Amino acid sequence: MAEKKLGAKDLARFRVEDGRGFRLAEHDPGETHGLKSKDEAQELLAGGVQALARYQERLAAQDRWSLLVVFQAMDAAGKDGTIEHVMSGVNPAGVHVTSFKAPSEEELDHDWMWRHWKALPERGRIGIFNRSHYEEVLVVRVHEQLLAAQKIPRELVGKKVFEERLQDIANFESFLARNGTRVLKFFLNVSKAEQKKRFLERIDQPDKNWKFAVGDVRERAHWDAYQSAYEDAIRRTAAPHAPWYVVPADKKWFTRLVVAAAIEAELESLDLSLPPATPEREAALRAARAELEREG
Ligand code: ATP
Ligand code: MG
């Protein structure tokens, strides 16, 4: 490939900002955009990682925007490794990763968005959701008994409950966008065959055993239900201010490259220039300098 990085044009293939008519089946988990190997991608990825570090510094210095990055995927699609690699150059103080598991008793005593609100990034920071509010229309949709555990007054839970939740999510994300939080959502699209291969590796290689949860195989049995829940979620919540990226995830090196490039492109699109110094500020700086010099 001739370009030095994946640009907006290359990324358009994976970016969904209008969900109407979106079909997951049109996205190939094995695609690598003409790149043939990890080695070929190495330099591109390194460039992306460095660019993120630079932009993050500006984001913090400007202290106006924040960025929320959501990762959703089937098990073993590579969420953790992607977060680790893509963020490897960024100052840890500027990034906060929250992993969302099954809700606790305390969390179930609140509405389902509560814990997500609390974890949103402050201005100037990048927040990463490793799983997210989307689980409420994914795992909870696939296993409806989870809904019953949520203590919502019965008469409020009707046939359209997931449609309503998707609307609430879209509204939540519009709200964030209007208040200075950019929202980027990544679906790491792994194939069923590749997931099986990764599960077998986790079982067979002692140093990977810890990554394997027996329950993951049970979830795999609901593969089709998950795929259609993902498709519907993307259809109803993709927007220009909160796009989804459907990222091919059968080749981990390619996943990382796309994610890094997409975050880079998003930060690049923000005006991260610093506010010009005011005369008062300049005078204060001169006075501070003079005071330091008087120390001798
Ligand atoms: P890993 O790659 O380490 O397995 P993971 O994200 O799968 O990462 P786990 O601790 O294995 O982490 O799983 C978290 C589980 O919590 C998932 O099965 C997910 O579906 C579940 N979960 C997340 N949010 C909710 C929710 N709102 N309601 C019910 N279950 C949830
Ligand atoms: Mg898991």
Side-chain angles (χ1 to χ4, degrees):
M1 203 168 48
E3 298 108 299
K4 286 190 296 301
K5 64 177 186 181
L6 294 188
K9 253 204 198 142
D10 306 299
L11 291 167
R13 168 83 194 88
F14 312 114
R15 183 177 164 106
V16 186
E17 51 178 46
D18 177 357
R20 279 172 300 181
F22 169 75
R23 293 194 57 235
L24 198 46
E26 288 168 8
H27 289 256
D28 174 7
E31 185 178 332
T32 57
H33 201 68
L35 288 167
K36 290 192 185 57
S37 69
K38 190 174 179 171
D39 291 344
E40 224 180 307
Q42 207 67 45
E43 210 177 313
L44 286 172
L45 180 60
V49 167
Q50 274 173 15
L52 286 191
R54 278 197 309 275
Y55 280 123
Q56 189 275 325
E57 211 174 82
R58 293 237 127 197
L59 192 74
Q62 195 198 45
D63 202 19
R64 292 292 179 276
W65 295 99
S66 49
L67 179 68
L68 174 64
V69 185
V70 167
F71 285 94
Q72 283 292 156
M74 298 298 285
D75 286 303
K79 286 185 278 104
D80 292 17
T82 301
I83 295 168
E84 184 187 331
H85 278 82
V86 169
M87 290 296 152
S88 59
V90 172
N91 177 355
V95 187
H96 186 71
V97 184
T98 311
S99 299
F100 291 98
K101 317 271 179 192
S104 67
E105 285 295 317
E106 188 195 16
E107 288 164 350
L108 288 173
D109 250 339
H110 295 265
D111 68 83
W112 53 269
M113 200 59 99
W114 181 71
R115 62 177 181 159
H116 307 288
W117 277 108
K118 286 204 306 179
L120 288 172
E122 314 160 45
R123 295 194 194 282
R125 301 186 89 197
I126 300 175
I128 296 183
F129 282 5
N130 182 357
R131 300 191 188 272
S132 67
H133 45 294
Y134 281 95
E135 290 292 330
E136 293 292 336
V137 291
L138 298 166
V139 69
V140 180
R141 191 170 197 176
V142 173
H143 299 282
E144 280 206 35
Q145 71 274 18
L146 295 172
L147 193 58
Q150 292 192 345
K151 298 169 72 174
I152 303 166
R154 253 224 197 121
E155 60 266 45
L156 298 182
V157 184
K159 278 207 187 74
K160 295 195 165 165
V161 60
F162 293 108
E163 215 173 290
E164 290 163 2
R165 282 189 176 192
L166 285 163
Q167 253 169 38
D168 291 337
I169 289 176
N171 291 339
F172 168 66
E173 293 175 354
S174 298
F175 176 87
L176 295 180
R178 288 196 181 111
N179 287 278
T181 299
R182 284 290 176 101
V183 186
L184 279 187
K185 303 170 293 193
F186 292 100
F187 171 52
L188 307 191
N189 185 25
V190 75
S191 67
K192 200 174 178 189
E194 179 64 22
Q195 189 198 52
K196 180 174 176 180
K197 196 175 134 218
R198 292 183 190 174
F199 279 171
L200 289 172
E201 278 168 16
R202 290 177 177 192
I203 293 168
D204 293 341
Q205 298 178 21
D207 63 328
K208 288 192 177 172
N209 276 174
W210 64 274
K211 288 191 190 173
F212 184 71
V214 178
D216 290 353
V217 173
R218 236 175 294 133
E219 280 317 279
R220 182 179 159 80
H222 301 284
W223 185 273
D224 293 344
Y226 272 109
Q227 297 290 302
S228 75
Y230 268 110
E231 186 172 77
D232 199 34
I234 293 169
R235 275 187 190 166
R236 288 166 195 269
T237 63
H241 57 267
W244 275 99
Y245 280 88
V246 179
V247 187
D250 279 5
K251 293 276 182 280
K252 287 180 181 171
W253 53 266
F254 189 66
T255 311
R256 293 166 188 174
L257 191 61
V258 172
V259 171
I263 300 176
E264 180 187 347
E266 197 66 24
L267 291 174
E268 197 172 24
S269 76
L270 298 177
D271 174 17
L272 295 181
S273 56
L274 300 174
T278 60
E280 293 77 25
R281 173 84 178 146
E282 278 170 358
L285 291 176
R286 274 197 304 275
R289 157 172 277 282
E291 190 176 331
L292 286 168
E293 279 167 351
R294 274 197 298 279
E295 276 181 11

